[in-house]
């Protein structure tokens, strides 16, 4: 590819052809560039930011503000009771309440909640008759919440016992005065299946690397962890709450906070445990929602960012990366289809040499991408939980291949839905995945 570009320049080829070859090369190696970018960003975090950013968790907590733990729930009869019993009795913090937003549940969830309320005075329940989505439930709940801070906690999520204390240490630190939200570090609870083990690697790579890199480079964040993030209530209200028509409220609010010039903070030393999707169907549905949410954010903020690039310079890297991800997704799918058709054609005409060369060149690119991806994953597993997840490195090739194939597909599949949302036809209703008892 590089030799073709050089030859094109030497032979005086059409400048448009040269530009096309250069763009093609950049898109081909984009996954390699991205993996190394996050790798070196994580190294920068470990060298220059880790000590300062995580120092707050060691400070003595002098004030204990009132906290509302908000649990949006829709048809969570399998898991809701065990989660609430933990939140009500096992946290090492006493100045808080638990507020469940029952978003139109049609199973036994309301019955379970009514029974638990009889013996737990700090448990409150707000019933929404029609399921209108997590963002809508959260926005309603904000005005019922008594807390100065609101912890968003999914029905299948268990924070560590010291989580509330650690959150408050961040907010109450000298730097915390401008923190809009602090998002915790996710740990996969159900690791018995192949999908569970693979997602253990994935979430370490996404959370452990990307959020650290964003913190180190320009103090921004693509997305909060929707399953467990603590918000300063007044900054939620100032942002207008969550966007109710969006597929991912945690992505959109993180970008909204960034544009408000308040600080989103990643706290790798605050751990929460959650169940991940255990079937391919649930996993694909989840990735569709993530892809749609990411595209919606890009469509919302692209023109706004470049309208005032200097003012929004801290958001610019996020927008550029999102742009490259979208363009590469279409590039990947289109070139893959073209490659398959060409191989079929060469097979039909008996040109086996072309088939051999095509497969060899593809494998070279895939191997380079795997090596770069392994750097990213290895750095993530070393940094996350002090290296205790290194044993899952064997599952990283599966994770890398899965994300390279599935992520572009989900972006393309949901692209039209994201456009409909931006045009005012989106909806944030939800359907909980199938739960099972452990």
């Amino acid at each position: 590819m590089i030799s073709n570009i050089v030859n094109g320049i030497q032979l005086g080829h059409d400048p448009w052809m040269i530009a096309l070859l250069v763009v093609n090369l950049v898109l081909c190696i984009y996954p390699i560039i991205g993996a190394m970018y996050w790798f070196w960003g994580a190294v920068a975090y470990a060298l220059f930011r880790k000590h300062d950013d995580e120092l707050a968790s060691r400070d003595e907590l002098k004030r204990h503000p009132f906290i509302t733990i908000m649990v949006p729930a829709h048809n969570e009869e399998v898991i809701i009771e065990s989660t609430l019993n933990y939140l009500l009795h096992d946290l090492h913090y006493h100045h808080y309440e638990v507020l469940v937003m029952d978003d139109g549940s049609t199973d036994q969830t309301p019955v379970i909640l009514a029974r638990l309320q009889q013996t737990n005075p700090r448990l409150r329940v707000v019933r929404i008759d029609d399921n209108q989505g997590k963002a809508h439930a959260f926005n309603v709940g904000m005005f019922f919440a008594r807390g100065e801070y609101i912890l968003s906690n999914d029905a299948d999520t268990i924070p560590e016992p010291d989580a509330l204390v650690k959150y408050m240490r961040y907010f109450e630190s000298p730097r915390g005065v401008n923190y809009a939200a602090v998002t915790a570090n996710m740990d996969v609870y159900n690791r018995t299946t192949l999908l569970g083990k693979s997602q253990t690697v994935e979430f370490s790579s996404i959370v452990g690397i990307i959020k650290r890199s964003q913190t180190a480079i320009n103090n921004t964040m693509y997305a909060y962890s929707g399953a467990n993030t603590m918000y300063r209530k007044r900054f939620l209200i100032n942002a207008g709450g969550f966007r109710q028509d969006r597929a991912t409220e945690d992505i959109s609010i993180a970008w909204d906070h960034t544009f408000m010039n308040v600080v989103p903070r990643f706290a790798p030393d605050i751990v929460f445990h959650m169940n991940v999707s255990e079937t391919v169907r649930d996993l694909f549905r989840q990735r569709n929602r993530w892809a749609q949410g990411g595209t919606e954010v890009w469509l919302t903020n692209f023109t706004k960012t470049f309208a005032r690039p200097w003012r929004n310079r801290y958001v610019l890297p996020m927008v550029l990366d999102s742009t490259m991800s979208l363009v590469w997704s279409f590039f990947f799918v289109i070139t893959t289809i073209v490659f398959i058709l060409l191989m079929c054609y060469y097979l039909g005409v008996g040109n086996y040499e072309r088939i051999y060369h095509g497969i060899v060149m593809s494998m070279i690119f895939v191997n380079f991408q795997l090596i770069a991806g392994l750097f990213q994953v290895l750095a993530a597993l070393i940094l996350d939980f002090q290296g205790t997840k290194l044993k899952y490195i064997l599952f990283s090739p599966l994770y890398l291949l899965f994300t390279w194939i599935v992520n572009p597909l989900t972006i393309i599949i949901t692209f039209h839905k994201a456009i409909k949302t931006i045009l005012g036809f989106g909806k944030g209703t939800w359907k909980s995945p199938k739960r099972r008892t452990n």
Side-chain angles (χ1 to χ4, degrees):
M1 184 67 68
I2 296 176
S3 62
N4 288 338
I5 295 173
V6 173
N7 290 335
I9 295 173
Q10 292 175 343
L11 296 174
H13 282 180
D14 186 347
W16 288 105
M17 181 61 68
I18 297 173
L20 182 62
L21 290 171
V22 172
V23 170
N24 184 63
L25 175 63
V26 170
L27 289 172
C28 282
I29 65 175
Y30 169 71
I32 301 173
I33 297 172
M36 298 311 298
Y37 178 82
W38 299 126
F39 169 77
W40 286 111
V43 171
Y45 175 89
L47 293 176
F48 305 113
R49 296 292 297 270
K50 184 177 187 296
H51 177 75
D52 291 338
D53 284 352
E54 298 181 29
L55 183 63
S57 64
R58 305 186 191 102
D59 295 340
E60 184 66 26
L61 186 61
K62 299 178 182 179
R63 191 172 77 96
H64 294 76
F66 192 68
I67 298 170
T68 295
I69 302 177
M70 193 181 300
V71 183
H74 174 68
N75 291 345
E76 299 286 1
E77 62 182 4
V78 174
I79 199 91
I80 191 69
E81 183 167 4
S82 60
T83 299
L84 291 180
N85 280 332
Y86 178 89
L87 295 176
L88 290 165
H89 304 296
D90 294 335
L91 298 180
H92 300 163
Y93 196 90
H94 301 289
H95 201 204
Y96 73 97
E97 65 173 352
V98 178
L99 176 63
V100 179
M101 302 303 300
D102 180 10
D103 190 22
S105 295
T106 55
D107 61 358
Q108 291 298 306
T109 298
V111 177
I112 296 171
L113 294 175
R115 174 166 50 81
L116 292 174
Q117 273 191 290
Q118 295 177 2
T119 56
N120 296 279
R122 65 166 40 146
L123 173 62
R124 300 166 60 213
V125 178
V126 175
R127 168 74 179 182
I128 300 173
D129 289 335
D130 297 323
N131 172 22
Q132 298 186 52
K134 182 179 177 181
H136 175 266
F138 209 105
N139 286 343
V140 172
M142 277 196 302
F143 297 98
F144 287 90
R146 298 169 180 162
E148 181 181 347
Y149 297 91
I150 300 177
L151 175 66
S152 173
N153 194 96
D154 282 356
D156 64 346
T157 299
I158 300 296
E160 64 171 308
D162 289 329
L164 297 186
V165 175
K166 289 183 177 180
Y167 273 124
M168 284 300 98
R169 284 174 177 160
Y170 275 92
F171 280 109
E172 294 295 304
S173 69
R175 294 185 179 186
V177 66
N178 202 38
Y179 288 174
V182 177
T183 191
N185 197 0
M186 177 190 163
D187 186 32
V188 175
Y189 183 72
N190 51 333
R191 305 181 193 173
T192 56
T193 65
L194 183 61
L195 280 178
K197 290 180 173 65
S198 300
Q199 288 175 86
T200 298
V201 174
E202 178 181 16
F203 282 107
S204 286
S205 181
I206 292 175
V207 175
I209 285 288
I210 296 180
K211 283 186 168 60
R212 284 181 173 93
S213 299
Q214 291 164 355
T215 299
I217 295 169
N218 58 358
N219 230 16
T220 56
M221 196 174 297
Y222 279 97
Y224 299 134
S225 297
N228 200 262
T229 293
M230 184 171 287
Y231 300 92
R232 194 186 298 270
K233 183 179 177 180
R234 64 183 175 91
F235 282 157
L236 271 181
I237 295 174
N238 290 345
F242 293 92
R243 295 176 184 254
Q244 297 180 179
D245 60 344
R246 301 304 164 90
T248 50
E249 82 293 334
D250 47 352
I251 298 178
S252 61
I253 191 64
W255 284 65
D256 289 342
H257 275 161
T258 301
F259 276 99
M260 288 172 57
N261 291 321
V262 292
V263 179
R265 172 61 60 214
F266 174 53
D269 52 329
I270 304 177
V271 180
F272 67 93
H273 310 274
M274 69 171 291
N275 289 297
V276 295
S277 302
E278 294 185 300
T279 66
V280 174
R281 180 181 179 183
D282 283 342
L283 187 62
F284 193 70
R285 183 186 294 126
Q286 179 194 61
R287 300 314 153 95
N288 275 339
R289 187 172 60 84
W290 289 1
Q292 181 179 340
T295 304
E296 288 169 355
V297 164
W298 178 78
L299 290 170
T300 301
N301 297 298
F302 182 83
T303 55
K304 179 166 59 174
T305 301
F306 286 98
R308 296 183 176 181
W310 178 250
R311 178 179 178 181
N312 298 316
R313 60 191 179 278
Y314 297 110
V315 191
L316 193 60
M318 295 167 58
V319 175
L320 290 175
D321 183 62
S322 297
T323 304
M324 286 297 299
S325 296
L326 282 164
V327 174
W328 180 81
S329 295
F330 282 91
F331 170 81
F332 173 80
V333 172
I334 293 171
T335 54
T336 299
I337 294 173
V338 171
F339 176 80
I340 294 172
L341 292 175
L342 281 174
M343 293 300 102
C344 291
Y345 169 75
Y346 291 137
L347 181 64
V349 299
N351 194 341
Y352 303 114
E353 183 179 359
R354 282 281 192 175
I355 295 175
Y356 173 76
H357 287 161
I359 293 175
V360 169
M361 290 302 298
S362 298
M363 292 305 298
I364 290 173
F365 273 105
V366 169
N367 283 327
F368 272 109
Q369 291 174 5
L370 277 174
I371 292 170
L374 284 172
F375 269 100
Q376 177 184 345
V377 172
L378 184 61
L381 295 176
I382 291 173
L383 284 174
D384 220 25
F385 300 99
Q386 299 179 338
T388 57
K389 292 184 179 180
L390 271 172
K391 60 183 178 181
Y392 295 106
I393 189 69
L394 296 175
F395 299 93
S396 57
L398 176 64
Y399 149 67
L400 293 169
L401 291 173
F402 175 84
T403 54
W404 286 339
I405 295 172
V406 172
N407 287 358
L409 287 176
T410 56
I411 287 175
I412 292 175
I413 289 171
T414 60
F415 193 78
H416 71 285
K417 294 181 180 179
I419 293 176
K420 285 176 62 177
T421 297
I422 301 305
L423 294 176
F425 300 100
K427 60 179 182 178
T429 55
W430 58 346
K431 181 180 179 182
S432 298
K434 292 182 178 180
R435 311 289 192 193
R436 67 177 180 87
T437 56
N438 295 303

